[in-house]
Every structure is written in C-alpha cells, then in structure tokens.
Amino acid sequence: MQTIKLYIKDWLAIHPYTQQQATDRYFVDLANRLYSTCTIREIPESTKKKLCLYTAAYLEDVISGSGLWQAFIQKHLELYDTSLPFYTIRPDYMKDEINEEDIRFILWNTLEKAPYKHPYINPMDKNIEETAHSFFQILEEEYEMAPANDTLQDFFMGFKGKEDANHKLRWLFGHTYLTEPSVQEYIAQVTETDKFIIPCGPLALFLHEWIDLLAHGATGCWEEIEGLYPAIPEIPDERKERNLHTFQLFTQGTNGARIVYLEGYKELHRFLTQILQWPDDPNHTLPQMKNHQDFIMMVNPEKGILLAKDLCRCISDPLNPMYDAATAAQEAFSLLTVPTKCPPDLMEYLINNHYIPDAQIPGSGEKELVQKNADFIARHSLLYYYRGD
C-alpha cells in the first residue's frame, strides 16, 4: 500500500500558482510513490519529501516544456563541455527526455543544499545512485502517461504586466525544484531588488541569465523590468590610475608576477612598505593581520590588490614555497566550499592552473572528481561569493 506523505499543499509550494491544476493530483501521487521507494537514510523527513517532490517536478518540467532543466544542462554544457557535473554521460542520454543521471544529480543537489548540518555529500554516494535508479524506473514507466501542465509551457516567454513578471521572477529565483535548494536558508530575508543581484540555482546564475536561457534570447519584454539587467558598474578614472600605479609597483617588485606568497606578517609589512611604497603607519600596514601565518597578494591593473590569508599551505603554485601536501589534503577542499575563505579572482587562478591538486571530498579521498569539477563545486557551494567581484 502506498504511503501518503505528500499533499497538494506541498506540491503547490514549489509552483507559481496557488489553485490546484488538473495535472497536480497526478504528480502528487507520483511523489508519494517515489517516497515509498526512497532508501536514502539518516536524513530529515522534510528533506526526504523534497527529494520526491523535486523528482516529480523534474518529470513535469520535461513533459510540460517549462524549460528549467533544459536551461540548466544547456548552460552547464556551455561552461564545461558536458551536460552534467560528476557523472559520465551514457551514449543513450537524451537531452529532451528523462535520464537516470539527471535524477542522480537532482538528488545530490537537494541533499547537498539541505538546510541541516551535514558533511559535504559525495556525488558518488551509493545511496544516491540506488535511489536514482529506482526513481528512474518509476519515471520511465510513467513517462508516456504523465500529463503535461499547460500552465508551465513556455512560461517565461512573456508576461502580463509588471506584477506578473515579478511573480514569475520570484518563483524562478527561489521556489522551483532547481533553485529552491540554493536559497532556502535566506529566502525570507531577500527583498524584491535583492533577487536581481544574488545568483541562484546549481550554477549560481543571476535571474537575467536564467531568463536569457528560458526565453531563448527573446528577452525584449524582460529588459523592460527595472533592475533585472543591472548596469555594469564603472570604475572611476582616478581609481583606475591608482590601481594601475599599484600594479606597476607590484610587478616590478616580483619580476613580473601578479601573485606573491608571503610567510608571516613581517614579510607582508616589508612588501607593503618597500615594494608598494605604502606609508609605514597602522592605516596602511594592516597590523590587525599580525596573528596570521601567511598571506597571498594578487594584483590586477584595473581592480587593484586582493589579499588572502592562511591559505599558502594548500596551494601548489611553483611560486609558493610554503605548499604542504598533507595540509592541503585536509584543508584545500574548503577553498571551494567555505564562503569568504578564498577571494573569487584567486580561486579562478587556482582552478585554471590546477594549483589545488590535493583538494578532496572530505572522508572519501576522492581527488579526481574534484579536479574535474572544481569550478562547478565552487559555483554550487559559494553562489554570491563565487560570482562576487
């Protein structure tokens, strides 16, 4: 006998309407059927329900043509030359239909972003793989019979007035099966304008990037929504000149290198005062940094300088004399997953140059998976801190 754990109200919570549609009962029944076969253990009941609701919503999305899943895999393909992170795409993978790998990712995404304390979820976890297989068998059986939800077809191709547009954007930002996991912890504090500048979803996309994908480039009407397409901030000329001067001093003092690794505050102080020629006073020599063991400084001719601390032992850059593989094995993964620990420009430099080779999923010793998906892991984990300037 099928366990009834999920109700219409649970389903409507991840939909852009409040009144039950003709197809909703079917998908609620499907979610309950999935619940009865879910074998993932030691997770909160609320999270187990989300796994089943989101998987049912994925089928509805594919059947109905709302385009969320297609937008995600299209952007992932554009960024990383494969439709999904982590998983080997089989030859019979069908981009316009349902796939077991898709479900596996949805389960992982939901579990990794679940709002309870847990270690980083290994995407190769056997529980996820087994549950994805059983869920796929059910969805494959239902695929030809599942009813399309006409309300969702081409949902983002237009809108009826500003309020309708904002309603659709609110749903897209934080209430779909793909975007809700990433913002659920702080969605209650997000204002109407915040949602335009905070990235969401597995790829940390801004709302205008989602709309570009979902509207297939036909964004004329959406460009009328104030704030959706924010202007790129201009750097004042005075600051550009100051940053360029700093860049010149920095690279002259490092034989052309745009990055320097400094052990201890004494080296930092020397670099600031002798190389960058900053005044030797507390306002310029950062005395609050005295208790940190090492520092990284990077320079950009337009942006100026960034400073990171206590990371050198994780980084295998040939310019860095402090690299320690044992420390890196324990701590380097956190550079990709802990907000504010590693500035975005430094992270990009490390990922592009493969300078965190010992980063591994905690408790698994899995390094190769991290190396192949480091940029995605950072996007997925850090969101705003990855996309920030």
Side-chain angles (χ1 to χ4, degrees):
M1 181 176 174
Q2 181 172 295
T3 303
I4 304 301
K5 288 286 187 176
L6 296 155
Y7 299 90
I8 286 292
K9 64 180 179 63
D10 302 309
W11 181 250
L12 294 181
I14 58 170
H15 281 73
Y17 48 80
T18 56
Q19 296 299 315
Q20 183 177 340
Q21 305 285 304
T23 59
D24 290 340
R25 172 50 58 190
Y26 167 88
F27 287 104
V28 173
D29 289 344
L30 174 63
N32 276 299
R33 186 178 172 193
L34 296 171
Y35 184 96
S36 298
T37 66
C38 183
T39 57
I40 296 178
R41 298 175 293 276
E42 299 178 356
I43 61 173
E45 177 74 2
S46 59
T47 301
K48 185 174 179 180
K49 289 179 178 180
K50 291 292 188 183
L51 295 175
C52 304
L53 287 168
Y54 292 161
T55 302
Y58 155 74
L59 176 62
E60 180 190 45
D61 175 11
V62 174
I63 293 293
S64 303
S66 52
L68 289 166
W69 185 255
Q70 290 302 314
F72 165 62
I73 62 173
Q74 176 186 335
K75 190 64 178 180
H76 193 278
L77 184 65
E78 177 187 320
L79 290 169
Y80 305 116
D81 295 321
T82 183
S83 296
L84 288 173
F86 307 128
Y87 307 118
T88 300
I89 303 299
R90 296 175 300 179
D92 60 350
Y93 184 89
M94 302 290 289
K95 292 181 181 179
D96 297 322
E97 298 183 11
I98 60 169
N99 299 278
E100 188 169 331
E101 299 97 317
D102 299 350
I103 298 169
R104 199 172 172 187
F105 174 80
I106 290 166
L107 298 182
W108 173 82
N109 181 53
T110 306
L111 290 169
E112 174 52 31
K113 288 295 187 181
Y116 68 95
K117 189 174 182 179
H118 59 80
Y120 193 88
I121 304 296
N122 188 342
M124 299 305 179
D125 182 273
K126 285 296 181 184
N127 272 323
I128 295 176
E129 183 179 12
E130 291 168 3
T131 300
H133 181 67
S134 64
F135 278 17
F136 176 68
Q137 289 181 314
I138 293 172
L139 264 60
E140 190 175 38
E141 179 184 319
E142 296 291 326
Y143 182 72
E144 297 297 336
M145 298 180 290
N149 184 343
D150 294 337
T151 302
L152 297 180
Q153 186 173 14
D154 296 327
F155 190 70
F156 294 100
M157 293 303 293
F159 52 85
K160 299 176 182 178
K162 182 179 178 180
E163 182 50 41
D164 183 46
N166 283 324
H167 176 74
K168 290 185 176 188
L169 292 170
R170 282 193 293 271
W171 180 60
L172 177 59
F173 176 78
H175 300 290
T176 77
Y177 73 96
L178 268 180
T179 57
E180 185 178 67
S182 65
V183 300
Q184 58 192 317
E185 288 192 274
Y186 53 82
I187 185 68
Q189 287 76 48
V190 174
T191 68
E192 284 295 306
T193 54
D194 283 344
K195 68 180 184 293
F196 296 139
I197 59 173
I198 298 175
C200 61
L203 288 170
L205 301 181
F206 293 107
L207 274 182
H208 68 85
E209 294 173 313
W210 276 109
I211 290 297
D212 289 346
L213 293 163
L214 291 162
H216 307 293
T219 59
C221 61
W222 289 106
E223 291 169 16
E224 298 174 9
I225 301 301
E226 185 178 357
L228 176 58
Y229 288 86
I232 299 174
E234 293 259 346
I235 301 175
D237 290 340
E238 181 183 350
R239 185 183 299 175
K240 283 183 180 179
E241 291 177 9
R242 188 166 65 247
N243 289 344
L244 179 59
H245 178 62
T246 299
F247 175 82
Q248 292 167 340
L249 291 174
F250 189 110
T251 51
Q252 286 169 9
T254 59
N255 295 318
R258 297 189 180 195
I259 189 167
V260 66
Y261 299 87
L262 305 167
E263 185 166 14
Y265 178 75
K266 186 176 180 179
E267 281 198 30
L268 175 65
H269 182 278
R270 178 194 63 80
F271 194 88
L272 295 176
T273 56
Q274 296 183 25
I275 303 301
L276 298 184
Q277 301 176 15
W278 289 4
D280 192 355
D281 64 57
N283 291 325
H284 293 87
T285 56
L286 309 178
Q288 68 271 26
M289 295 290 182
K290 286 182 178 180
N291 292 328
H292 295 287
Q293 61 183 354
D294 57 61
F295 304 92
I296 303 169
M297 297 186 75
M298 283 185 71
V299 69
N300 180 288
E302 291 189 355
K303 296 180 180 180
I305 284 178
L306 70 76
L307 174 68
K309 58 187 184 297
D310 300 332
L311 303 181
C312 292
R313 284 159 178 77
C314 295
I315 297 168
S316 68
D317 188 340
L319 296 174
N320 173 25
M322 290 169 278
Y323 176 61
D324 179 73
T327 301
Q330 295 295 317
E331 300 179 12
F333 188 73
S334 66
L335 274 63
L336 302 173
T337 57
V338 176
T340 74
K341 188 163 188 176
C342 184
D345 284 357
L346 175 59
M347 186 182 306
E348 181 181 9
Y349 172 79
L350 300 179
I351 291 172
N352 289 345
N353 289 284
H354 307 287
Y355 284 158
I356 46 174
D358 290 299
Q360 55 191 270
I361 296 174
S364 73
E366 178 61 68
K367 295 182 182 181
E368 184 178 356
L369 197 70
V370 175
Q371 295 308 304
K372 289 181 177 179
N373 298 276
D375 190 73
F376 170 80
I377 290 169
R379 276 181 175 265
H380 184 269
S381 298
L382 302 177
L383 295 169
Y384 181 80
Y385 298 98
Y386 175 93
R387 299 297 306 272
D389 187 3

